[in-house]
Amino acid sequence: MKYLIAGHGGYAEGVVNTLKFFKDDLNNVDLLPYTSDFEEQLQAYFERHDPAEPLCMVTDLVGGSVNLEAMRQLRKRNFYLISGANISLLLEMLFSEVTEGAQIEEIVVAARDQMVYVNAMMGAQSE
């Protein structure tokens, strides 16, 4: 599976740099930072992408402009789209042999469990 990480500011670059800490080989990961011509860049990416290779696009914010454009593309193209991803989710995706949407859904559910308010988990209070 090919992965496209897209987001605002330095999101995509930061995520890829963090992933490199855990996995050296990220040949199947591309990044696309948000710019004023994001719509055109995303369309060009899809035109270059081999439709026979499964693609999972990961965006930063569910209601953000990057995800909204990805959703427009999803109406025209066949790919998986995840928004609001965390590092746990991406690591699981990269180290697993993901081949279908049902596996992605399981990983998304598991990744939600990785978001924890640690103070509450420990029973600690914070001022």
Side-chain angles (χ1 to χ4, degrees):
M1 173 141 351
K2 187 80 164 174
Y3 297 93
L4 174 61
I5 300 173
H8 299 87
Y11 173 80
E13 294 91 344
V15 167
V16 169
N17 285 335
T18 300
L19 294 173
K20 285 179 183 175
F21 179 81
F22 297 98
K23 187 174 189 332
D24 291 330
D25 177 17
L26 295 177
N27 293 332
N28 61 334
V29 178
D30 293 326
L31 58 96
L32 186 61
Y34 181 79
T35 60
S36 60
D37 63 342
F38 181 78
E39 180 180 344
E40 292 82 18
Q41 287 189 26
L42 184 57
Q43 286 179 7
Y45 179 87
F46 279 114
E47 288 168 9
R48 290 188 311 269
H49 178 73
D50 178 1
E53 180 178 28
L55 173 68
C56 181
M57 184 173 178
V58 177
T59 66
D60 53 356
L61 298 169
V62 174
S65 51
V66 172
N67 193 66
L68 293 175
E69 182 55 36
M71 289 170 65
R72 281 190 276 279
Q73 292 296 321
L74 191 57
R75 291 186 186 103
K76 301 185 271 187
R77 304 174 192 278
N78 185 24
F79 65 99
Y80 303 107
L81 177 59
I82 300 172
S83 190
N86 59 29
I87 298 300
S88 296
L89 177 135
L90 288 163
L91 288 172
E92 184 67 29
M93 300 270 302
L94 289 170
F95 284 105
S96 300
E97 294 294 325
V98 177
T99 59
E100 59 185 41
Q103 290 172 293
I104 293 172
E105 182 63 29
E106 289 175 13
I107 292 170
V108 167
V109 169
R112 285 185 193 131
D113 291 339
Q114 293 296 310
M115 288 184 32
V116 175
Y117 179 43
V118 176
N119 293 54
M121 182 182 77
M122 294 177 60
Q125 289 189 321
S126 178
E127 296 291 320

